[in-house]
Amino acid sequence: QVQLVESGGGLVQPGGSLRLSCAASGIIFSIATMDWYRQAPGKDRELVARIFSGGSTDYDGSVKGRFTISRDNAKNTVYLQMNSLKREDTAVYYCRTGTVRGPAWGQGTQVTVSS
């Protein structure tokens, strides 16, 4: 019932920018807390950014000042604007939200930062 679909990943040079999108359905988006996670090969999935229904945000220290999470409730979409990208940002990025049956995850979108 809940569906999250990420888009916007790709290959970018260090210092470049990308904007990821996550389109949600099957939830009351306006009251949902939305997260961006990422997972690099061989590493644990980690929380990158979170936006609450009221618009407050949390960021991992490694991305604070470079990434911005935002939401458009009219479009049921959450975004992750990624600037000043570093090689260590390379990962599969996942959109996530909580549901009464546990977390719902998107399929992921690959972000590769390389020269």
Side-chain angles (χ1 to χ4, degrees):
Q1 186 177 5
V2 178
Q3 187 174 20
L4 305 174
V5 181
E6 302 98 333
S7 61
L11 175 65
V12 64
Q13 292 184 330
S17 297
L18 285 173
R19 180 162 63 183
L20 308 183
S21 299
C22 171
S25 60
I27 61 170
I28 306 174
F29 184 84
S30 62
I31 65 170
T33 297
M34 303 298 300
D35 302 334
W36 284 101
Y37 282 73
R38 67 185 180 188
Q39 188 167 26
K43 296 187 177 181
D44 292 336
R45 193 170 296 186
E46 64 177 356
L47 178 64
V48 175
R50 170 170 286 167
I51 186 165
F52 297 91
S53 60
S56 297
T57 56
D58 288 332
Y59 297 95
D60 182 79
S62 67
V63 308
K64 196 169 187 177
R66 300 188 297 120
F67 291 11
T68 303
I69 188 170
S70 62
R71 65 195 298 155
D72 186 339
N73 288 346
K75 296 181 178 179
N76 284 7
T77 300
V78 62
Y79 304 95
L80 186 67
Q81 178 67 47
M82 305 185 295
N83 298 328
S84 302
L85 282 161
K86 305 174 180 179
R87 289 180 176 86
E88 51 262 46
D89 295 319
T90 295
V92 178
Y93 283 72
Y94 297 91
C95 183
R96 176 204 170 275
T97 193
T99 76
V100 295
R101 298 200 291 182
W105 295 89
Q107 84 286 356
T109 185
Q110 176 71 49
V111 172
T112 302
V113 184
S114 178
S115 60

